[in-house]
């Protein structure tokens, strides 16, 4: 990526594309605005009468009835799907180049939703209007109320078409946003007493306790959180990200970027050249699993292959933008617990 292009990136773009959250989104953001249409209707809500929900901006959205035509960021839509709520349209990483569901789409049938934009800064406003949306729902990665993946250039047009709900995933532990998504799904008519839902929550709690015990038993194991791009390797800090803050609270010993590096990126990450990828010593490496980042199996840099954790096979995937249902958050917690349990001290 040229220096000129990098200079044009906004802070939001850096978060979507850089370090803590992966660089590839910007590299693929040159796609056209053609979206993949689907014909899925939102499931009817079991609730009748007026609907309201107070979001994490302090904004209360009020409608005459529970919204039927929901448009949401892909990860939000995936979480709602796990609770039995289907959306009409999505925006954000939804399909891969081969047409399959992106990791952030979870279990959704992506052929049954209208995709308004699949990469950063892509949002087809005309198709959005045609859906006659009742509400737009997204996450927020700052404390300014900025809706994730809603383009800066068209946000005002989008805002005029329907009210919005924002769920914060900034500077708090994972359990907070999980509870907020639970509350949102319940307000939309989801059955939160269903066995699938309650059992998933129990499995998440059990996985969390397992991770707590693993971290306590092996406090010497250092965990580095990374994301790979063609030119740079990013080391994420354990503050600000909901999953890492939660894991740290459970006792996980994270490798931290330098203070100077974190200050330069608002606290999110440190950028390293591939020549300097061995700057930090680690026993376990968690790597960004999103399609916007290079996956470990595809990293060809010799310096990467020489890292002790890589040579020891102690590299696992990280759900950098967790799908906020208990069902989808079980596996990442269990994976980290198992990695620490089995890890050898190599740093």
């Amino acid at each position: 990526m040229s220096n000129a292009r990098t200079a044009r990136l906004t802070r939001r773009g850096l978060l979507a594309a850089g370090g803590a959250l992966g660089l590839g989104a910007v590299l693929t953001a040159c796609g056209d605005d053609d979206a993949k249409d689907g014909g899925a209707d939102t499931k009817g809500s079991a609730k009748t009468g007026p609907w309201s929900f107070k979001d994490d901006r302090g904004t209360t959205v009020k409608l005459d009835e529970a919204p039927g035509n929901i448009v949401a960021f892909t990860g939000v839509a995936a979480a709602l799907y796990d609770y039995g709520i289907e959306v009409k349209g999505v925006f954000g990483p939804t399909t891969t180049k081969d047409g399959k569901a992106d990791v952030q789409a979870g279990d959704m049938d992506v052929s049954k939703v209208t995709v308004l934009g699949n990469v950063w800064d892509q949002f087809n406003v005309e198709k959005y209007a045609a859906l006659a949306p009742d509400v737009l729902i997204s996450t927020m990665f700052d404390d300014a109320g900025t809706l994730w993946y809603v383009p800066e250039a068209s946000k005002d047009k989008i805002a005029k078409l329907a009210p919005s709900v924002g769920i914060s995933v900034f500077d708090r532990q994972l359990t907070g946003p999980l509870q907020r998504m639970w509350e949102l799904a319940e307000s939309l008519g989801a059955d939160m007493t269903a066995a699938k839902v309650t059992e998933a929550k129990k499995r998440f709690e059990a996985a969390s306790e397992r991770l707590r015990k693993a971290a306590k038993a092996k406090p010497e194991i250092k965990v580095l959180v990374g994301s790979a791009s063609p030119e740079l390797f990013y080391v994420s800090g354990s503050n600000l990200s909901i999953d890492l803050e939660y894991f740290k609270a459970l006792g996980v010993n994270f490798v931290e970027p330098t203070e100077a590096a974190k200050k330069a990126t608002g606290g999110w990450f440190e950028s390293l050249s591939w020549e300097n990828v061995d700057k930090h010593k680690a026993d376990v490496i968690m790597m960004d699993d999103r399609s916007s980042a290079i996956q470990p199996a595809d990293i060809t840099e010799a310096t990467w292959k020489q890292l002790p954790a890589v040579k020891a096979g102690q590299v696992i995937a990280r759900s950098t933008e967790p799908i906020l249902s208990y069902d989808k958050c079980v596996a990442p917690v269990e994976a980290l617990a198992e990695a620490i349990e089995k890890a050898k001290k190599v740093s």
Side-chain angles (χ1 to χ4, degrees):
M1 181 179 293
S2 70
N3 291 334
R5 187 176 183 185
T6 302
R8 291 197 299 271
L9 293 175
T10 63
R11 179 171 179 270
R12 293 177 69 224
L14 281 169
L15 292 180
L21 302 177
L23 181 67
V26 167
L27 301 179
T28 58
C30 298
D32 59 27
D33 284 337
D34 290 341
K36 182 177 180 180
D37 289 314
D41 288 332
T42 304
K43 286 185 178 180
S45 171
K47 294 193 173 184
T48 58
W51 177 84
S52 68
F53 186 82
K54 186 175 182 179
D55 74 359
D56 291 339
R57 300 170 296 185
T59 300
T60 300
V61 177
K62 297 181 179 181
L63 299 174
D64 292 337
E65 58 184 6
N69 290 349
I70 301 171
V71 172
F73 171 68
T74 303
V76 170
L80 292 176
Y81 183 88
D82 285 349
Y83 291 130
I85 303 295
E86 295 185 15
V87 307
K88 195 86 167 183
V90 297
F91 54 95
T94 307
T95 58
T96 59
K97 292 180 180 179
D98 57 6
K100 296 181 180 179
D102 188 275
V103 65
Q104 293 192 68
D107 293 332
M108 282 194 303
D109 184 344
V110 295
S111 70
K112 293 183 178 180
V113 292
T114 297
V115 182
L116 302 173
N118 202 52
V119 298
W120 184 254
D121 249 0
Q122 185 185 82
F123 192 113
N124 192 310
V125 180
E126 290 72 24
K127 286 188 176 182
Y128 178 57
L131 292 175
D134 294 320
V135 68
L136 178 148
I137 309 172
S138 190
T139 49
M140 301 181 297
F141 278 91
D142 60 27
D143 54 8
T146 306
L147 296 173
W148 192 234
Y149 266 81
V150 173
E152 186 72 21
S154 54
K155 67 177 184 179
D156 292 340
K157 291 181 180 179
I158 293 168
K160 292 178 181 178
L161 295 171
S164 62
V165 167
I167 300 296
S168 180
V169 290
F170 175 71
D171 196 16
R172 60 201 63 203
Q173 294 182 27
L174 176 61
T175 45
L178 272 173
Q179 179 60 30
R180 293 294 284 142
M181 192 62 69
W182 175 290
E183 294 167 359
L184 176 60
E186 186 173 36
S187 79
L188 293 170
D191 180 5
M192 310 313 283
T193 64
K196 178 182 178 182
V197 174
T198 57
E199 288 171 5
K201 188 172 183 179
K202 290 178 181 178
R203 288 189 292 114
F204 174 81
E205 292 168 348
S208 297
E209 184 57 27
R210 179 183 175 185
L211 178 56
R212 186 193 304 276
K213 289 180 179 179
K216 183 177 181 179
K218 302 177 78 171
E220 74 279 6
I221 297 300
K222 295 182 179 180
V223 180
L224 182 145
V225 183
S227 183
S229 77
E231 296 165 351
L232 295 170
F233 182 83
Y234 300 92
V235 178
S236 297
S238 62
N239 293 327
L240 304 183
S241 296
I242 57 174
D243 60 330
L244 304 185
E245 287 205 11
Y246 183 55
F247 298 157
K248 182 170 64 173
L250 292 175
V252 176
N253 181 9
F254 283 111
V255 172
E256 297 289 351
T258 64
E259 289 302 316
K262 288 196 294 184
K263 185 177 181 180
T265 61
W268 287 98
F269 58 88
E270 177 179 7
S271 304
L272 298 175
S273 66
W274 283 103
E275 290 78 10
N276 295 316
V277 74
D278 61 352
K279 176 179 177 179
H280 300 288
K281 308 303 179 185
D283 304 296
V284 172
I285 300 177
M286 299 174 67
M287 290 295 290
D288 189 345
D289 72 349
R290 297 173 309 162
S291 55
S292 58
I294 300 175
Q295 297 307 299
D298 299 320
I299 298 175
T300 59
E301 301 290 341
T303 48
W304 163 261
K305 295 180 179 180
Q306 292 302 311
L307 292 177
V310 175
K311 293 173 72 174
Q314 295 176 176
V315 178
I316 64 171
R318 175 202 176 196
S319 296
T320 306
E321 292 184 50
I323 293 173
L324 296 173
S325 71
Y326 285 101
D327 179 70
K328 291 299 180 293
C329 287
V330 172
V333 181
E334 287 184 334
L336 181 54
E338 182 178 6
I340 293 175
E341 289 167 350
K342 295 181 177 180
K344 297 178 181 179
K345 183 66 179 176
V346 294
S347 65

